[in-house]
Amino acid sequence: LSFTEFFVDHYLPYVKPRKRSWARDEELFRLRIQDVLGHKRLDQITRQQIQSFHTALIAEGLAPATCNHHIKLIKHSFNLAIDWDMLDTNPAARVPLLHEDNKVEHYMNDVELERLLDVLRTDDNRPVCLIAMFLLSSGCRFNEVLSAKWTDVDMEKRVFVVRASNSKSKRLRSVPLNDSAIDVLNKLDTAGKFEHLFINRLTGKPYTTVTKVWQRLRTKAGLPHLRLHDLRHQYASFLVNGGRTLYEV
């Protein structure tokens, strides 16, 4: 089998019911891995080819964590191929990963926050702007918001329930909704029409990624290094500055 044939016909059908982030795997493979390694047979791919691919990702300017995600995906898929007797050895097994500095957090001051809010209130891509506003208003994780369904929301009690299947902790969690979060939900036009809150109208399906749009929005706001996950930390900062205890946060 070629790597593409294995990935499409065997890997994806296996991980879709077992891995919440399978769409991210599909994206990583489709956008970069497939062009370089997809046409090769599984037993033709060498460690040197994988390391060269890793180096090319670094040269492209991708974050260390993103470069590593590609290698981890290759390694995991090859391990499955070995489990299924389609491959004898894993050429990615000893490919060294980059050191990831994930402790960098970007907090906005009042001026920066106002610039971001101005963009989120006025930009033409309303669905993605509302996703960012909901993240900033609720402190939820990105994947929790993308997978949110209207059945998870109680507008009367002002609560959003994160299902255990979508929670990083694997536990059900209730998130109180403040006025800003309620305002976002009231602006959505998907209630009664779609199962999920946030729908990509080009595909008619829930969003799986908003990377390119978010890069444009944060650059437009003059905040080129602001990550979507930073909005969760910003929400925690709001709570602390508002007098809430660290236990509550």
Side-chain angles (χ1 to χ4, degrees):
L1 290 175
S2 71
F3 193 7
T4 295
E5 290 171 331
F6 170 77
F7 192 85
V8 173
D9 297 336
H10 298 276
Y11 178 82
L12 283 180
Y14 175 79
V15 297
K16 280 183 178 180
R18 295 176 171 85
K19 188 177 181 182
R20 292 198 304 270
S21 59
W22 69 264
R24 176 60 172 162
D25 288 357
E26 189 277 332
E27 181 186 42
L28 293 178
F29 184 84
R30 172 171 46 83
L31 294 182
R32 290 187 174 86
I33 298 174
Q34 185 171 17
D35 287 344
V36 179
L37 301 173
H39 63 284
K40 297 180 181 295
R41 291 204 319 263
L42 290 179
D43 59 359
Q44 286 182 322
I45 298 174
T46 66
R47 181 181 304 127
Q48 188 276 332
Q49 291 169 345
I50 297 172
Q51 288 179 324
S52 295
F53 170 66
H54 198 201
T55 301
L57 295 179
I58 300 169
E60 191 178 333
L62 298 181
T66 303
C67 296
N68 287 346
H69 285 325
H70 288 78
I71 303 306
K72 291 175 182 177
L73 173 58
I74 294 172
K75 188 179 299 183
H76 177 51
S77 60
F78 283 177
N79 280 336
L80 287 177
I82 292 172
D83 290 343
W84 298 333
D85 296 324
M86 296 178 177
L87 192 65
D88 293 327
T89 60
N90 190 336
R94 289 167 50 202
V95 174
L97 299 179
L98 299 172
H99 174 69
E100 301 176 18
D101 185 1
N102 292 326
K103 296 182 179 180
V104 177
E105 297 177 357
H106 303 285
Y107 291 96
M108 293 176 284
N109 58 36
D110 290 345
V111 174
E112 292 171 331
L113 177 61
E114 192 55 43
R115 288 208 309 266
L116 177 64
L117 291 176
D118 183 58
V119 170
L120 297 182
R121 290 169 181 147
T122 59
D123 191 84
D124 290 338
N125 194 319
R126 300 313 305 148
V128 175
C129 287
L130 290 174
I131 288 173
M133 283 291 291
F134 194 76
L135 292 171
L136 193 59
S137 303
S138 66
C140 289
R141 295 182 176 88
F142 179 59
N143 286 333
E144 293 172 347
V145 171
L146 294 193
S147 59
K149 299 179 179 180
W150 282 107
T151 52
D152 301 327
V153 176
D154 189 325
M155 295 288 281
E156 184 176 343
K157 294 181 179 179
R158 298 167 67 99
V159 170
F160 165 50
V161 176
V162 178
R163 285 165 279 132
S165 58
N166 296 328
S167 172
K168 186 175 181 179
S169 66
K170 306 292 186 182
R171 295 179 181 178
L172 183 144
R173 188 172 87 257
S174 296
V175 178
L177 299 176
N178 56 26
D179 290 344
S180 179
I182 292 292
D183 181 60
V184 170
L185 297 180
N186 284 330
K187 289 178 178 176
L188 295 177
D189 59 355
T190 57
K193 303 175 184 177
F194 296 92
E195 185 180 20
H196 290 78
L197 272 62
F198 299 99
I199 297 294
N200 185 336
R201 288 310 179 96
L202 295 178
T203 64
K205 298 179 180 179
Y207 282 92
T208 56
T209 180
V210 298
T211 303
K212 289 184 178 179
V213 178
W214 174 246
Q215 288 176 346
R216 180 179 65 79
L217 293 174
R218 67 184 184 182
T219 301
K220 186 177 179 180
L223 301 166
H225 301 297
L226 188 70
R227 305 167 303 174
L228 281 170
H229 191 69
D230 291 326
L231 303 184
R232 174 173 166 84
H233 294 292
Q234 189 75 34
Y235 177 78
S237 177
F238 292 156
L239 294 181
V240 172
N241 292 334
R244 298 296 179 178
T245 66
L246 289 179
Y247 175 79
E248 287 178 295
V249 174

